[in-house]
């Protein structure tokens, strides 16, 4: 897949997710085959005020590249200034603009999905960033109930100079409930010339293939199903390449991944930024004996305790 002049290996992308897509997690997704990863969203205002904690979300490393950094805001001027600063510090391969987040924290200030009500402002934001940055600018939107209005926004984003668009097939009102509507995504793909990435409800090998085929999009972006499950990228890329399901031992794979994730958090000095037990619960989601596992994690005192008790359970499960 190609975005502007950037050649991206493959077409399975990791979605930006606040409090999830930190560097260690992104790095693991990348190693397992994610074509490109995105940072958690970064507030343009916070960048301008040089808020270190916010800025650090853009931290990356060579092994991760290519990297997309996502920003949100409501002012073309401030967002451009922030993006220029991000470009200067981190030199990401892509700068993505968030037009999809439905959280009140953003929408009350007219950011994220609130902007979908102001197509002209969306156009202005994308145009200013595209004109002023040397990094390709992309946008991530949700759909509106009205197909024509959704198409109008997608066209405005393209004409303003965006190099690609990601479409999450849910409305702002739906938040994360209901099913993503890929009819809208497919229609946008038919009408636009820039790459279109389908997002929403890619959960496994089959859904990945179906959504790619149905929408005829250039790529798919995976969010929730990847949480605590970076190995999903390997399974999906294997299936898309060979048509066969990858054989693996779910229990030991998840624990190996959790161990590696903790190691990387240590390596990048980010352990203090995560809730350790919550992370362990994510990594063990969907494993047999779920109730037992959840209890054992909540009763553990240290990371080693968590890993040891999971190892024990795994031995009995094999
Ligand atoms: C915990 C969480 C955090 C998210 N944070 C962001 C974000 O920072 N920026 C963004 O554009 N979307 C964000 N999203 C939305 C996802 O990127 C994605 O669009 C959505 O989850 C639909 O994809 P899925 O069905 O594969 O999960 C977030 C979603 C979740 C569950």
């Amino acid at each position: 897949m190609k975005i502007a002049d950037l050649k991206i290996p493959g077409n399975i992308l990791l979605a930006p997710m606040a409090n999830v897509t930190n560097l260690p997690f992104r790095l693991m997704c990348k190693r397992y085959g994610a074509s490109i990863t995105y940072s958690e969203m970064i507030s343009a205002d916070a960048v301008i005020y040089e808020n270190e904690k916010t800025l650090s979300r853009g931290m990356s490393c060579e092994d991760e590249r290519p990297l997309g950094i996502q920003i949100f805001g409501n002012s073309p001027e401030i967002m451009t200034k922030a993006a220029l600063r991000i470009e200067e510090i981190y030199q990401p391969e892509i700068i993505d603009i968030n037009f999809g987040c439905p959280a009140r924290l953003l929408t009350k200030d007219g950011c994220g999905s609130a902007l979908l009500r102001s197509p002209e402002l969306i156009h202005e934001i994308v145009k200013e960033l595209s004109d002023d940055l040397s990094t390709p600018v992309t946008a991530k939107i949700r759909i509106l109930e009205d197909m024509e209005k959704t198409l109008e926004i997608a066209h405005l984003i393209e004409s303003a100079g965006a190099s690609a668009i990601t479409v999450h097939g849910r409305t702002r009102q739906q938040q994360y409930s209901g099913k993503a509507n890929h009819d809208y995504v497919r229609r946008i793909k038919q009408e636009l010339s820039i790459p279109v990435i389908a997002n929403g409800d890619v959960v496994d090998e089959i859904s990945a293939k179906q959504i790619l085929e149905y929408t005829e999009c250039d790529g798919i972006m995976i969010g929730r199903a990847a949480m605590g499950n970076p190995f999903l990228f390997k399974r999906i890329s294997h299936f898309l390449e060979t048509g066969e399901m990858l054989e693996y031992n779910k229990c030991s794979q998840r624990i190996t991944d959790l161990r590696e994730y903790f190691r990387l958090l240590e390596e990048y000095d980010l352990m203090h930024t995560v809730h350790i037990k919550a992370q362990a619960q994510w990594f063990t989601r969907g494993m047999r004996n779920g109730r037992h596992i959840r209890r054992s994690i909540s009763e553990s005192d240290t990371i080693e305790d968590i890993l040891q008790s999971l190892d024990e359970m795994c031995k009995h499960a094999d």
Side-chain angles (χ1 to χ4, degrees), residues 15-21 39-42 70 96-101 140 142 168 170 176 180 199-203 221-225 227 282:
M17 286 186 280
N19 300 318
V20 179
T21 53
S39 72
E40 305 170 65
M41 59 184 167
I42 294 182
Q70 190 191 59
D96 187 66
I97 311 172
N98 182 324
F99 294 124
C101 181
K140 182 164 176 282
R142 281 181 177 245
H168 177 189
R170 283 190 181 80
Y176 295 95
N199 171 233
D201 296 347
V202 177
V203 293
M221 179 181 272
I222 308 178
R224 289 162 298 170
M227 286 164 69
W282 286 352

Side-chain angles (χ1 to χ4, degrees), residues 4 19 33 41 68 99 119 124 150 155 171 203 213 224 293 308:
N19 300 318
M41 59 184 167
F99 294 124
E124 229 181 291
T150 313
H155 276 294
T171 62
V203 293
E213 284 178 357
R224 289 162 298 170
I293 289 175
Q308 243 176 32

Side-chain angles (χ1 to χ4, degrees), residues 57 113 183 186 209 214 230 253 296-297 312:
R57 291 187 184 151
S113 63
D183 291 341
R186 178 181 154 93
K209 187 162 191 284
Y214 180 69
Q253 184 63 51
S296 129
I297 291 173
E312 273 307 306

Side-chain angles (χ1 to χ4, degrees), residues 172-231:
R172 168 185 170 187
Q173 290 74 18
Q174 276 181 292
Q175 301 251 344
Y176 295 95
S177 67
K179 275 204 150 300
N181 187 335
H182 292 294
D183 291 341
Y184 284 58
V185 186
R186 178 181 154 93
R187 192 59 204 286
I188 292 174
K189 172 61 197 167
Q190 285 165 352
E191 296 221 2
L192 263 53
S193 315
I194 54 173
V196 178
I197 297 146
N199 171 233
D201 296 347
V202 177
V203 293
D204 56 16
E205 294 88 336
I206 303 291
S207 52
K209 187 162 191 284
Q210 278 172 348
I211 291 169
L212 259 179
E213 284 178 357
Y214 180 69
T215 62
E216 297 182 324
C217 273
D218 303 87
I220 43 171
M221 179 181 272
I222 308 178
R224 289 162 298 170
M227 286 164 69
N229 189 13
F231 191 71

Side-chain angles (χ1 to χ4, degrees), residues 259-276:
R259 193 180 291 280
E260 174 64 2
Y261 179 61
F262 283 145
R263 193 192 69 72
L264 287 166
L265 283 167
E266 282 287 359
E267 183 178 329
Y268 289 101
D269 195 17
L270 289 170
M271 196 65 91
H272 63 282
T273 65
V274 302
H275 188 293
I276 287 162

